[in-house]
C-alpha cells in the first residue's frame, strides 16, 4: 500500500505520547496535550512522497560527454570476445590469483564478508594495498591492444567494515533516525577515504531498501520505511562516496534493485507482492536519488516481484528485463552498469552459478561469480558464439563497465600511486562516528525526568551488550554475520561501558552482566544495555510464525531487568538492535528507554546523551526520531483484524527530548501470545536451524547435536564415520547442509517441545525443502517425521531422488497427508524433518519448512511415494 504518515498509537488513552508528522519530516501537527519539546526541531527536511504513474526519467548530475563516449567505443572496438567477457566477470579474491586475472582478462574482483588478504582477519592496510597493486598490475599485463584496469569491490556498508581497526559508523537504521543528509554525505566521504587508502575503488553501498517488515534480517541496512528520506539519503551518500571521482573517492553501488525491502513476511530473497505504484514511488525512491547523484553501479536484487494489482509476475530481479533494462536503463536513464549479487544468476530457472544467458540478456552487465568464474567465461563465450546472447548486448555491457572505469580515473595509476594510499589515518573518523551515534539515538521513554544523569552518580551497568563491541557493531563487521568477533577485533573501538566510565568516572561505575551477587542498594541508578546479537542476511530473519517479542529470543534481557527492578532504583535501558521490536515488558521495567540501534565502534556517543553536559561544554540533547514505526503488539503484521492504530506503539517521527514531561503508562504485555498463529507454516532450517529446532546426526543410538558454525565440516563418528557433513550453497551463501552417507544413519531437525501439526494437515500444508542430489541412492531414502521414541511417520523418496541425479536444485514438496496414511497422528511432532538412508547417497538440503498453499514447488502425489 502507499505509505503516509499517521499518528499511530497503542490506544487512545495515551494519545498524548505520539506526534502526527506531516510529509515534511520533523514537522508537527499537535494532538491533545502534545508538547513540542517531545520532537526534534524542524530543521531537516526531506521531499514529499512522489506520485509517479510510470518509471520517471531522472536527470543525473553527470552531463553527457561525447569525448568520453568516443573513448569508450574505441576501447570496446579493440577487444576480443574473451576480453569482453572477462570484463563482465567478477571473481572472489579467495578463488582467483593475479596470474589468472591476466590470463582471463578479468574485469573485477571482490572480497565477500569475512574475506581478507591472505585470509588474515587482522590484515593491515599495507596488506590490502599490496594485493590491490598485484591485481591491478596483472590486469594491465594482458595482451589486449588497450589495457583495461581491474576494479575491486567490497561491502563497506557502515565504514570500511572489513578492515581491522577501521572506524565503524552506525548502521543505516540508526542513520535514518538522525534525519540528517549532511551527516550521511560526510560519512560517505569518510568511508571513501578509508576504502581508497586500502587500494580498493568500489563499494557495494548504499543499501536503498525501504524495509516494510522488521522480520527481515536486513532491516538495519534500511534507512527508513518511507521513500522520501531514502531518496534524499541516497543522493547524499552517493555524492559523499563518489565526489568528483578523485583519488579519495570510490564508485558507489545503489542496491538492491528493486523491492528487497518489500518481500512477503520480510523473508530475505523472497517475493515482493506490491503494486506498480508502490514499487515506483516507495521502493524506487532511493534509485531516483542515486541516479540524480550520478551513481555508477546498481546491484540487482535476489528477490522476486509479483505485481499483485496488475497480475504480472516479474520473477527474480536478476532475470527481469522489463526492470533492469526497460525501467532502470531506458526510462530512468541510468548510464552506469548493473552487477548481479553473489551467485544470484543461479537462482533463475534454467540457470546455474556458471551459466545464465537470461540474466545477461535481461540487463546484467557484470556477473558476480565468486568461485565458478572459469566455467562462466567459457559458457558465456559459447552462448555468444551460438547466438543465445547477442554481441550487441555484450558490447553494451562492456561499454558501461569501461565508461565507469574511465570516470573513476582508473587508467594509468596503480592503487598505491594515488593520494592517501596506505595512510592508516584515513581509517579513523572517530569524532564523526561519535556525532553519528548522538544523532541516531531515539529517546522513547523518560518517566520522571530520569535523564539526563548527573556526573558523579553511583552507577551500576548491567546487560550483555554493555561491554560488547561485536553486539554494538552487528552484522557486516569484519565477518559477514558479525559473528566470531571479540572486543579485541576492534582495537580502536570503545564500548558503551567504557564511554559511561569515561564520562562518569571509573570509580563511580560498576559492571555486572547479569547483576549477580551485587548489592543494588549501593547505587544511585542502573543502566541496562540490552538487545540483539549480531546477524546479517537470511540468518537474521524472524520467521513468520514467531512473534516480534524480543524476550522470546533473548530472555536473558528480561531476566536482568527483573533482577535490578527489585532495587527500586532508576533504571535506564539502552536497547541495541537492528530493528524496532515488541519490548513492552522491557519498557515497563525501565524508567527511561533509549533505542540505540547498532551504533558501531563509538560507544561514547551514548554516554554523551545519557549524562548532562559538563559546564562550559556544548549542550547535547536527543535529536533522533523514528524513521519507521515501533510495534505495540507481538504480531503487528498478522492479519488479525487489529486496527492500524493498535499495531504501532510509536509513529515515525516520534522521539523525546530534554526536558520533556511525558510519562509513559504501564503497557500491555500479551503473555498469552507466544506465536503469530495467523502466519502460515513453520520454518525449520534456513541457513541455520530455526529456533527451537536444532540439527542432529545419528548412528543407531549415538547422537550428535550440531552447533551454529556456518563452516561446519564433520565426519562422524570420528572412529568409524557413517556421515560426512559440509556447509555449502544451494540457493545463496552457505545456506545448505551437504550430507554424505557412508553407512546407515540419520540426519534430522528436532525440538524438545512437540508441535501439533494437525491444523496444518487440515490446511493442506506440505513439508518443503530444496535439494541437490550429488550421489543417487541405490536403496530406500526415507524422509520422516518423528513423534517420540519409536514413533516415525515416513515416506520413501529413493526413486524420486534418483530422478534428480543431475546436480541441479529441486524443490521437494510432500503433502502432510502423505505422512498420515493409515490414520497416523501428527499432533506431537518433535522431528518435522529427517532423512534416514545408507551408502551410497549424498545430497545437500536447504530451506526446510512446512508451508500452506503453493510456495515454490508442486506437491508430490502421495501415491508416487513409497511407504516405510
Amino acid at each position: 500500500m502507499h505509505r503516509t504518515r499517521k499518528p499511530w498509537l497503542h490506544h487512545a488513552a495515551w494519545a498524548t505520547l505520539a506526534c502526527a508528522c506531516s510529509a515534511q519530516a520533523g514537522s508537527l501537527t499537535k494532538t491533545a496535550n502534545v508538547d513540542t519539546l517531545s520532537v526534534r526541531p524542524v530543521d531537516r527536511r526531506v521531499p514529499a512522497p512522489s506520485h509517479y504513474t510510470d518509471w520517471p526519467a531522472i536527470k543525473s548530475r553527470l552531463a553527457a560527454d561525447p569525448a568520453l563516449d568516443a573513448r569508450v567505443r574505441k576501447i570496446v572496438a579493440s577487444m576480443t570476445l574473451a576480453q569482453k567477457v572477462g570484463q563482465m566477470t567478477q571473481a572472489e579474491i579467495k578463488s582467483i590469483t593475479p596470474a589468472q586475472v591476466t590470463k582471463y582478462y578479468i574485469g573485477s574482483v571482490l572480497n565477500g564478508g569475512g574475506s581478507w588478504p591472505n585470509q588474515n582477519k587482522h590484515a593491515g592496510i599495507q596488506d590490502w594495498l599490496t594485493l590491490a597493486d598485484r591485481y591491478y598490475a596483472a590486469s594491465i599485463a594482458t595482451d589486449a591492444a588497450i589495457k583495461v584496469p581491474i576494479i575491486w569491490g567490497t561491502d563497506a556498508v557502515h565504514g570500511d567494515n572489513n578492515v581491522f581497526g577501521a572506524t565503524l559508523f552506525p548502521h543505516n537504521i540508526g542513520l535514518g533516525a538522525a534525519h540528517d543528509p549532511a551527516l550521511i554525505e560526510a560519512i560517505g566521504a569518510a568511508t571513501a577515504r578509508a576504502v581508497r587508502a586500502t587500494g580498493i575503488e568500489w563499494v557495494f553501498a548504499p543499501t536503498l531498501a525501504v524495509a516494510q517488515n522488521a522480520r527481515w534480517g536486513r532491516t538495519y541496512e534500511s534507512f527508513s520505511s518511507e521513500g522520501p528520506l531514502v531518496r534524499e539519503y541516497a543522493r547524499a551518500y552517493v555524492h559523499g562516496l563518489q565526489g568528483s571521482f578523485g583519488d579519495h573517492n570510490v564508485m558507489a553501488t545503489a542496491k538492491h534493485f528493486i523491492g528487497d525491502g518489500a518481500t512477503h513476511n520480510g523473508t530475505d530473497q523472497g517475493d515482493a507482492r506490491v503494486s506498480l505504484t508502490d514499487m515506483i514511488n516507495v521502493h524506487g525512491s532511493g534509485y531516483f536519488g542515486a541516479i540524480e547523484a550520478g551513481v555508477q553501479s546498481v546491484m540487482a536484487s535476489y528477490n522476486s516481484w509479483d505485481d499483485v494489482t496488475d497480475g504480472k509476475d516479474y520473477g527474480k530481479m536478476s532475470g527481469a528485463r522489463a526492470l533492469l533494462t526497460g525501467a532502470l536503463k531506458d526510462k530512468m536513464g541510468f548510464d552506469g552498469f548493473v552487477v548481479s549479487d553473489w551467485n544470484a544468476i543461479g537462482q533463475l530457472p534454467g540457470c546455474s552459478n556458471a551459466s545464465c544467458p537470461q540474466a545477461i540478456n535481461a540487463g546484467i552487465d557484470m556477473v558476480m561469480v565468486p568461485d565458478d568464474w572459469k566455467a562462466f567465461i567459457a559458457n558465456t563465450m559459447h552462448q555468444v558464439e551460438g547466438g543465445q546472447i547477442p554481441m550487441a548486448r555484450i558490447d553494451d555491457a562492456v561499454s558501461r563497465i569501461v565508461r565507469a572505469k574511465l570516470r573513476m580515473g582508473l587508467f594509468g595509476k596503480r592503487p598505491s600511486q594515488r593520494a592517501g594510499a596506505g595512510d592508516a589515518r584515513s581509517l579513523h573518523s572517530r569524532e564523526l562516528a561519535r556525532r553519528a551515534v548522538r544523532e541516531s539515538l531515539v529517546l522513547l521513554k523518560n518517566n520522571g525526568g530520569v535523564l539526563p544523569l548527573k556526573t558523579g552518580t553511583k552507577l551500576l551497568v548491567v546487560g550483555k551488550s554493555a561491554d560488547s563491541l561485536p553486539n554494538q557493531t552487528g552484522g557486516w563487521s569484519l565477518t559477514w554475520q558479525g559473528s566470531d568477533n571479540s572486543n579485541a577485533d576492534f582495537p580502536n573501538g570503545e564500548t558503551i561501558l567504557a564511554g559511561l566510565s569515561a564520562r562518569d568516572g571509573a570509580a563511580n561505575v560498576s559492571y555486572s552482566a547479569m547483576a549477580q551477587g551485587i548489592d543494588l542498594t549501593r547505587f544511585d541508578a542502573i543502566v541496562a544495555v540490552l538487545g540483539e546479537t549480531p546477524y546479517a542476511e537470511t540468518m537474521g530473519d524472524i520467521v513468520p510464525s514467531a512473534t516480534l517479542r524480543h524476550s522470546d529470543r533473548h530472555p536473558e534481557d528480561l531476566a536482568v531487568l527483573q533482577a535490578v527492578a527489585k532495587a527500586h532504583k532508576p533504571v535506564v535501558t539502552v536497547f541495541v538492535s537492528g530493528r524496532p521490536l515488541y519490548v513492552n515488558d522491557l519498557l515497563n521495567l525501565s524508567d527511561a528507554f533509549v533505542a540505540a540501534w547498532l551504533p558501531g565502534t563509538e560507544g561514547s556517543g551514548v554516554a554523551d546523551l545519557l549524562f548532562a553536559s559538563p559546564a562550559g561544554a556544548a549542550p547535547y540533547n536527543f535529536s533522533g526520531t523514528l524513521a519507521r514505526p515501533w510495534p505495540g503488539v507481538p504480531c503487528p503484521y498478522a492479519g488479525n483484524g487489529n486496527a492500524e492504530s493498535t499495531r504501532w506503539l510509536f509513529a515515525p517521527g516520534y522521539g523525546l527530548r530534554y526536558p520533556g514531561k511525558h510519562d509513559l503508562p504501564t503497557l500491555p504485555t500479551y503473555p498469552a501470545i507466544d506465536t503469530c498463529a495467523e502466519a502460515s507454516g513453520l520454518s525449520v532450517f534456513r541457513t541455520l536451524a530455526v529456533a527451537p529446532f536444532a540439527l542432529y546426526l545419528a548412528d543407531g543410538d549415538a547422537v550428535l547435536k550440531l552447533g551454529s558454525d556456518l563452516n561446519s565440516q564433520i565426519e562422524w563418528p570420528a572412529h568409524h564415520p557413517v556421515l560426512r557433513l559440509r556447509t555449502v550453497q544451494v540457493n545463496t551463501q552457505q545456506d545448505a547442509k551437504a550430507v554424505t552417507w557412508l553407512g546407515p544413519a540419520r540426519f534430522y531437525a528436532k525440538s524438545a517441545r512437540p508441535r501439533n501439526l494437525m491444523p496444518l494437515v487440515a490446511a493442506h500444508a506440505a513439508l518443503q525443502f530444496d535439494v541437490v542430489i550429488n550421489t543417487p541412492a541405490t536403496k530406500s531414502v526415507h524422509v520422516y517425521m518423528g513423534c517420540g521414541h519409536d514413533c516415525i511417520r515416513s515416506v520413501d523418496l529413493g526413486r524420486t531422488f534418483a530422478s534428480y541425479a543431475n546436480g541441479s536444485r529441486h524443490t521437494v514438496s510432500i503433502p502432510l497427508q502423505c505422512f498420515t496414511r493409515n490414520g497416523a497422528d501428527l499432533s506431537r511432532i518433535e522431528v518435522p524433518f529427517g532423512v534416514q538412508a545408507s551408502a551410497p547417497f549424498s545430497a545437500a538440503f536447504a530451506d526446510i519448512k512446512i508451508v500452506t498453499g503453493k510456495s515454490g514447488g508442486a506437491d508430490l502425489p502421495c501415491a508416487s511415494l513409497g511407504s516405510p
Side-chain angles (χ1 to χ4, degrees), residues 44 49 87 134 159 193 195 231 235 272 482-483 532 592 674 753 794 814:
R44 299 166 185 165
Q87 281 298 305
R134 291 182 63 206
R193 285 192 302 273
V195 171
R231 180 173 185 168
R235 186 188 302 114
S483 54
E532 295 186 295
D674 61 2
R753 185 177 68 180
S794 72
I814 308 168

Side-chain angles (χ1 to χ4, degrees), residues 379-459:
N379 290 331
T380 303
M381 290 179 64
H382 288 317
Q383 289 153 3
V384 175
E385 293 163 346
Q388 290 176 268
I389 305 174
M391 182 61 79
R393 173 76 271 272
I394 297 293
D395 286 346
D396 174 61
V398 178
S399 296
R400 289 170 175 273
I401 293 166
V402 170
R403 183 187 297 116
K405 290 182 175 183
L406 287 168
R407 278 177 171 156
M408 284 299 302
L410 301 187
F411 288 71
K413 278 187 184 179
R414 65 178 183 267
S416 62
Q417 292 176 320
R418 300 181 180 277
D423 185 354
R425 294 172 298 180
S426 297
L427 298 178
H428 310 309
S429 298
R430 297 191 62 178
E431 283 303 315
L432 177 62
R434 188 167 174 171
R435 168 192 162 194
V437 174
R438 288 194 298 267
E439 292 194 29
S440 69
L441 303 180
V442 180
L443 181 60
L444 300 181
K445 179 179 181 180
N446 193 24
N447 283 18
V450 167
L451 294 178
L453 302 170
K454 295 180 179 179
T455 53
T457 297
K458 290 295 183 182
L459 202 62

Side-chain angles (χ1 to χ4, degrees), residues 553-576:
R553 282 167 292 283
H554 294 283
E556 71 279 3
D557 289 346
L558 178 60
V560 74
L561 278 185
Q562 289 171 332
V564 298
K566 299 173 184 177
H568 303 291
K569 298 294 179 76
V571 175
V572 177
T573 294
V574 177
F575 192 63
V576 175

Side-chain angles (χ1 to χ4, degrees), residues 109 183 372 380 390 531 540 553 590 639 653:
V109 294
L183 172 66
D372 299 320
T380 303
R553 282 167 292 283
S590 308

Side-chain angles (χ1 to χ4, degrees), residues 549-779:
R549 184 187 283 111
H550 174 72
S551 298
D552 288 351
R553 282 167 292 283
H554 294 283
E556 71 279 3
D557 289 346
L558 178 60
V560 74
L561 278 185
Q562 289 171 332
V564 298
K566 299 173 184 177
H568 303 291
K569 298 294 179 76
V571 175
V572 177
T573 294
V574 177
F575 192 63
V576 175
S577 73
R579 51 192 150 204
L581 292 164
Y582 176 75
V583 291
N584 284 13
D585 51 355
L586 307 185
L587 278 161
N588 287 342
L589 292 167
S590 308
D591 297 285
F593 197 97
V594 177
W597 314 111
L598 298 171
T601 50
E602 294 304 315
S604 285
V606 175
D608 286 343
L609 296 192
L610 294 192
F611 284 91
S613 299
Y620 293 132
N621 203 334
F622 285 90
S623 60
T625 59
L626 296 179
R628 60 188 69 248
W630 193 284
V633 294
C635 302
Y637 306 108
N640 53 10
N642 284 346
E644 185 90 328
S645 62
T646 67
R647 296 185 181 192
W648 307 112
L649 182 60
F650 304 119
Y654 175 85
L656 304 177
R657 289 172 55 86
Y658 305 141
K661 300 296 184 183
H662 307 302
D663 277 9
L664 194 68
T666 300
L667 305 173
T669 55
Y670 305 102
I673 299 177
D674 61 2
T675 181
C676 295
E678 297 82 0
S680 60
L682 179 68
S683 186
V684 177
F685 172 80
R686 293 192 73 232
T687 304
L688 296 173
V690 176
F693 298 105
L695 296 181
Y696 295 84
L697 305 178
D699 173 19
D701 292 332
V703 175
L704 174 68
K705 181 179 180 180
L706 301 179
S708 58
D709 182 6
L710 285 177
N711 299 302
S712 299
Q713 295 193 39
I714 296 171
E715 287 196 357
W716 184 83
H719 63 282
H720 182 66
V722 295
L723 286 172
R724 180 181 299 128
L725 181 140
R726 295 181 299 121
T727 300
V728 298
Q729 173 171 325
V730 165
N731 296 306
T732 187
Q733 305 168 60
Q734 300 173 305
D735 71 324
K737 297 301 182 186
V739 186
T740 299
W741 273 259
L742 307 174
R746 290 172 287 141
F747 166 66
Y748 60 95
K750 181 179 180 180
S751 168
R753 185 177 68 180
R755 293 292 184 111
N756 180 8
L757 301 187
M758 294 308 291
L760 289 171
V761 174
H764 305 289
L767 171 63
Q768 189 176 100
F769 54 91
D770 294 333
V771 66
V772 173
I773 304 299
N774 299 312
T775 303
T778 57
K779 302 177 183 177

Side-chain angles (χ1 to χ4, degrees), residues 497-555:
L497 174 64
L500 294 170
S501 295
R503 189 60 176 271
D504 196 33
N508 294 318
V509 177
S510 299
Y511 174 61
S512 173
M514 294 302 295
Q516 294 174 333
I518 298 292
D519 179 5
L520 301 176
T521 63
R522 295 169 39 218
F523 301 99
D524 302 318
I526 297 164
V527 174
V529 189
L530 316 173
E532 295 186 295
T533 50
Y535 55 80
E537 56 194 290
T538 305
M539 271 70 91
D541 283 6
I542 297 175
V543 297
S545 58
T547 76
L548 289 191
R549 184 187 283 111
H550 174 72
S551 298
D552 288 351
R553 282 167 292 283
H554 294 283

Side-chain angles (χ1 to χ4, degrees), residues 49-322:
S50 59
H51 298 283
Y52 300 117
T53 57
D54 197 2
W55 299 100
I58 302 295
K59 181 176 176 57
S60 169
R61 73 175 182 89
L62 302 178
D65 187 340
L68 173 65
D69 290 340
R71 191 176 175 192
V72 170
R73 287 193 296 272
K74 179 180 178 180
I75 292 172
V76 175
S78 74
M79 300 171 74
T80 66
L81 176 59
Q83 291 162 5
K84 292 175 182 178
V85 175
Q87 281 298 305
M88 297 171 63
T89 303
Q90 185 179 59
E92 220 281 343
I93 62 170
K94 289 185 290 190
S95 69
I96 192 166
T97 65
Q100 290 171 320
V101 166
T102 302
K103 180 178 179 180
Y104 292 93
Y105 312 101
I106 299 298
S108 180
V109 294
L110 80 151
N111 65 290
S115 180
W116 319 277
N118 305 313
Q119 288 311 294
N120 176 12
K121 186 178 184 180
H122 292 176
I125 191 170
Q126 196 59 49
D127 298 316
W128 291 89
L129 187 59
T130 297
L131 186 56
D133 266 355
R134 291 182 63 206
Y135 280 129
Y136 184 93
S139 71
I140 60 172
T142 68
D143 59 3
I146 301 176
K147 320 295 186 185
V148 180
I150 199 168
I151 188 167
W152 182 342
T154 190
D155 285 285
V157 299
H158 64 133
D160 199 0
N161 47 262
N162 291 292
V163 178
F164 180 68
T167 295
L168 302 190
F169 296 98
H171 270 292
N172 288 354
I173 190 169
L175 299 181
H179 293 85
D180 187 353
L183 172 66
I184 301 311
E185 183 170 341
I187 288 173
T191 300
R193 285 192 302 273
V195 171
R196 204 60 187 263
T198 67
I200 296 175
E201 309 95 350
W202 180 15
V203 301
F204 304 136
T207 297
L208 302 178
V210 188
Q212 300 297 297
N213 192 317
R215 294 184 181 281
W216 189 33
R218 302 190 81 156
T219 297
Y220 65 80
E221 296 185 54
S222 169
F223 294 119
S224 176
S225 62
E226 299 181 342
L229 180 63
V230 178
R231 180 173 185 168
E232 187 76 359
Y233 268 27
R235 186 188 302 114
Y237 211 135
V238 170
H239 192 265
L241 289 169
Q242 293 188 168
S244 56
F245 302 112
D247 281 356
H248 294 291
N249 297 121
V250 293
M251 186 166 70
T253 305
K255 68 179 189 182
H256 307 84
F257 188 83
I258 188 171
D260 52 344
T263 60
H264 181 60
N265 286 329
T267 300
D268 190 52
Q269 305 182 24
D271 188 25
R273 303 175 186 176
V274 297
S275 67
L276 176 64
T277 298
D278 273 5
M279 191 60 85
I280 293 173
N281 294 291
V282 178
H283 303 284
S285 295
Y287 299 93
F288 306 154
I291 294 172
E292 288 166 344
V295 71
Q296 288 299 285
S297 71
V298 167
M299 184 178 290
S301 185
Y302 283 115
N303 67 274
S304 306
W305 175 29
D306 183 2
D307 182 345
V308 294
T309 300
D310 293 342
K312 184 173 183 179
D313 190 345
Y314 291 85
K316 288 282 186 180
M317 291 300 98
S318 295
R321 189 178 191 280

